[in-house]
Amino acid sequence: EKISDHKDFKKLLRTRNNVLALYSKSAAAAESSLRLLSDVAQAVKGQGTIAWIDCSDAESRKLCKKMKADPGSKEKGVELLHYKDGVFHTEYNRAVTSKSMVAFLKDPEGAPLWEEDPEAKDIVHVDSEKELKRLLKKEERSLLMMFYAPWCGVCKRLMPAYQQAATELKGTYVLAGMNVYSAEFERVKEEFNVRGYPTICYFEKGKFLFNYENYGATAKDIAEWLKNPQPPQPQAPETPWSDEESIVYHLTDEDFDKFIKEHPSVLVMFHAPWCGHCKKMKPEYEKAAEVLHAGSDSPGVLAAVDATVNKAVAERFHISGFPTVKYFQDGEEKYTLPHLRTKKKIIDWLPQAPPPPEPAWEEKQTSILHLAGEDFRESLKKKKHALVMFYAPWCPHCKNSIPHFTSAAEVFKEDRKIAYAAVDCAKEQNHDLCKQEGVDGYPTFNYYNYGKFVEKYNGDRGESGFATFMRTLRERDHERVGKRKDEL
């Protein structure tokens, strides 16, 4: 939208809550930026707005001055400023590419893309299935491909070493990365057996040979391995953990669900063979299992999952660090317990007779609309404004937000156009829905207009913040109705 009048611009900021403004010293200076931004505008339609202010004429100059924009002082004669919820948010200083700008406007406070990191310049970043096929077809050199997800903690920890290795080995080997988290890459995940993140595949002349599984590697480790690539060897843990003599039950992707359903009280340790903290905890875990096994009325059993091998289970429970300890009761995940690292803490915590659990959020009488996969979109289509909280019952930040979110819902309970809704992402039936709605951490708050996603809510998480957000939307509605009446 081309704007020259200050009042028009203020009106735009009042009615649109996610605006990227291009200020240019002249029309000629804006030419190449506008070509790029017209594609960006199409990609974020309904989620963000692009505005252009040409500061070269008298009227626009006043607007630029009032908005404290000075494109003339910039090397290319253009300046990109972002406005959120009607006020200046930040100067756009990420990569000036369609992909980066679209990612920024879809989540203005999100982390930059991996390829925006200058240290990752020697990684070959692959964006599509077509690009992947083209790379494998033409590349003669040995190639390592990391299939990753942006939220994956193990991926983030490995990336610095991986990109350093890419720089050191440039010209000899190729190190590539591909974010395959979204549903459009199901075929790629199926073809290369991506069951968890990261999955690192080794190719020679475009042909997949085997996986690289050292997720705690340094750049030197990667370089040494590439000189003499070998298929992963079954790692023998320092303590005989998978032995038949072990009292800890070792679970796999295949038997996990059956075991959890058959045992009413289970503590599960998700571990990795290379993890130092896991190695330290294993003897304590074994000793605790012995004590529990010896008791006639045991309060529970201890189980373990090697998350580097059993990737489907690890991904389902969003395991991104090791060790991760989770408690399951009557077949359902109840708690994540990072403090249970010693025999004493485990024995003290596992209750002899667990107290009756507090009613789940959806079981309480509140004004929150609790949604599930199948009724999500249809329910929201009936509401003009809906703020949806995607959460997991075990998440501490969610627990802190729930009372405030519930109180805000009470404020608007009489307004049938407004909804405060919640989706429990820990439930298996909601996993696909949460992925589809871009949930990569808990809690995530999304705002919808008649069922259509508009933006992420990143404001204050107290009752006042949640209520003010909705009140502002309602006031805007009243303003629009008033203006229409005046026009009539």
Side-chain angles (χ1 to χ4, degrees):
E1 297 190 24
K2 189 170 190 293
I3 293 175
S4 55
D5 181 71
H6 183 248
K7 284 183 183 172
D8 289 344
F9 190 57
K10 280 290 187 188
K11 183 182 175 185
L12 179 81
L13 294 185
R14 209 167 49 243
T15 55
R16 312 282 175 85
N17 49 18
N18 183 18
V19 178
L20 185 63
L22 171 73
Y23 295 91
S24 65
K25 70 174 182 182
S26 66
E31 207 172 301
S32 64
S33 297
L34 287 172
R35 277 198 296 273
L36 172 66
L37 287 168
S38 62
D39 295 336
V40 175
Q42 286 301 315
V44 298
K45 206 170 182 179
Q47 291 173 267
T49 302
I50 312 280
W52 172 36
I53 302 102
D54 175 6
C55 301
S56 59
D57 65 71
E59 192 178 18
S60 301
R61 248 197 313 274
K62 284 182 196 168
L63 166 56
C64 296
K65 197 172 178 184
K66 283 187 176 176
M67 300 312 292
K68 296 180 180 168
D70 186 14
S73 67
K74 305 290 179 183
E75 189 185 336
K76 293 183 179 176
V78 293
E79 187 170 21
L80 281 162
L81 302 180
H82 182 255
Y83 300 86
K84 186 171 175 290
D85 299 327
V87 295
F88 172 71
H89 170 231
T90 184
E91 182 177 356
Y92 180 83
N93 52 15
R94 283 169 58 172
V96 184
T97 64
S98 176
K99 190 180 174 188
S100 292
M101 288 178 150
V102 168
F104 171 78
L105 280 165
K106 286 187 173 179
D107 184 8
E109 292 181 349
L113 302 172
W114 191 13
E115 54 261 53
E116 290 178 46
D117 184 345
E119 299 292 317
K121 67 183 187 304
D122 297 314
I123 299 283
V124 176
H125 298 281
V126 179
D127 293 332
S128 67
E129 189 175 349
K130 196 175 174 182
E131 264 185 58
L132 175 63
K133 284 185 174 161
R134 198 184 303 131
L135 175 67
L136 294 177
K137 192 175 179 182
K138 76 176 178 70
E139 190 52 68
E140 291 289 313
R141 291 168 295 178
S142 299
L143 182 147
L144 211 52
M145 167 64 78
M146 185 200 292
F147 295 106
Y148 67 96
W151 49 263
C152 155
V154 179
C155 308
K156 287 176 189 172
R157 284 195 290 277
L158 181 58
M159 281 172 180
Y162 194 79
Q163 61 202 28
Q164 188 187 332
T167 300
E168 290 172 6
L169 302 168
K170 192 177 178 182
T172 314
Y173 301 97
V174 176
L175 275 76
M178 186 176 183
N179 172 9
V180 290
Y181 181 55
S182 68
E184 67 187 285
F185 297 117
E186 286 307 319
R187 274 197 314 198
V188 172
K189 288 190 265 194
E190 195 62 40
E191 185 178 351
F192 297 107
N193 198 30
V194 178
R195 296 282 178 267
Y197 305 108
T199 294
I200 304 172
C201 297
Y202 175 70
F203 298 85
E204 281 184 7
K205 296 189 177 175
K207 187 184 174 189
F208 168 69
L209 294 187
F210 36 75
N211 290 98
Y212 177 71
E213 293 189 348
N214 182 0
Y215 304 119
T218 62
K220 189 182 174 189
D221 293 335
I222 296 169
E224 289 298 321
W225 186 86
L226 278 167
K227 286 171 191 168
N228 181 27
Q230 298 291 325
Q233 300 300 313
Q235 293 201 18
E238 288 176 17
T239 50
W241 239 40
S242 335
D243 282 0
E244 287 174 16
E245 296 167 18
S246 173
I247 293 174
V248 172
Y249 294 90
H250 294 273
L251 308 181
T252 65
D253 284 340
E254 287 70 37
D255 63 14
F256 184 87
D257 290 334
K258 185 172 183 285
F259 184 89
I260 294 297
K261 280 175 187 161
E262 287 173 355
H263 295 78
S265 176
V266 189
L267 204 61
V268 181
M269 173 183 168
F270 293 88
H271 64 98
W274 44 261
C275 154
H277 292 298
C278 304
K279 289 173 185 173
K280 192 175 173 186
M281 181 177 162
K282 281 175 188 177
E284 294 287 319
Y285 204 68
E286 278 283 2
K287 286 174 198 165
E290 283 171 22
V291 172
L292 293 167
H293 188 68
S296 56
D297 187 19
S298 176
V301 296
L302 301 194
V305 173
D306 182 342
T308 64
V309 175
N310 303 290
K311 293 179 180 176
V313 171
E315 185 184 349
R316 199 196 324 162
F317 294 105
H318 300 289
I319 306 302
S320 60
F322 303 110
T324 293
V325 180
K326 287 182 180 286
Y327 178 65
F328 294 80
Q329 189 177 58
D330 300 325
E332 295 286 327
E333 179 191 353
K334 298 290 284 182
Y335 313 110
T336 300
L337 303 153
H339 63 287
L340 297 190
R341 296 279 179 100
T342 64
K343 170 190 155 187
K344 184 176 187 310
K345 283 184 177 174
I346 292 165
I347 300 298
D348 289 350
W349 188 86
L350 262 178
Q352 288 295 335
E358 189 189 338
W361 190 15
E362 62 258 47
E363 290 167 8
K364 295 177 184 175
Q365 286 292 323
T366 68
S367 299
I368 298 292
L369 194 61
H370 289 277
L371 303 176
E374 61 278 1
D375 62 1
F376 180 80
R377 197 71 55 193
E378 286 308 309
S379 301
L380 292 188
K381 276 181 185 174
K382 298 168 190 168
K383 304 293 180 182
K384 185 168 188 181
H385 303 299
L387 190 59
V388 181
M389 176 177 172
F390 295 88
Y391 73 101
W394 47 261
C395 149
H397 295 300
C398 303
K399 287 175 187 173
N400 291 339
S401 297
I402 284 171
H404 302 293
F405 196 69
T406 306
S407 302
E410 290 297 316
V411 176
F412 296 92
K413 66 180 179 183
E414 304 301 329
D415 193 327
R416 287 190 296 177
K417 290 182 180 177
I418 287 174
Y420 284 78
V423 175
D424 181 352
C425 294
K427 289 185 175 176
E428 197 164 347
Q429 74 207 70
N430 294 332
H431 286 176
D432 289 343
L433 169 64
C434 295
K435 275 186 187 178
Q436 175 192 308
E437 297 307 307
V439 177
D440 55 9
Y442 305 124
T444 289
F445 299 92
N446 285 356
Y447 164 58
Y448 297 83
N449 179 250
Y450 290 121
K452 201 171 179 183
F453 172 79
V454 178
E455 63 167 333
K456 278 196 189 307
Y457 170 83
N458 291 306
D460 178 62
R461 291 183 183 177
E463 180 192 335
S464 159
F466 294 130
T468 302
F469 176 77
M470 204 60 84
R471 207 170 277 120
T472 306
L473 293 170
R474 197 160 67 172
E475 281 165 9
R476 282 181 196 165
D477 291 344
H478 292 159
E479 274 177 33
R480 287 189 197 118
V481 171
K483 280 174 187 170
R484 282 195 207 107
K485 283 180 181 172
D486 292 344
E487 285 163 10
L488 288 166

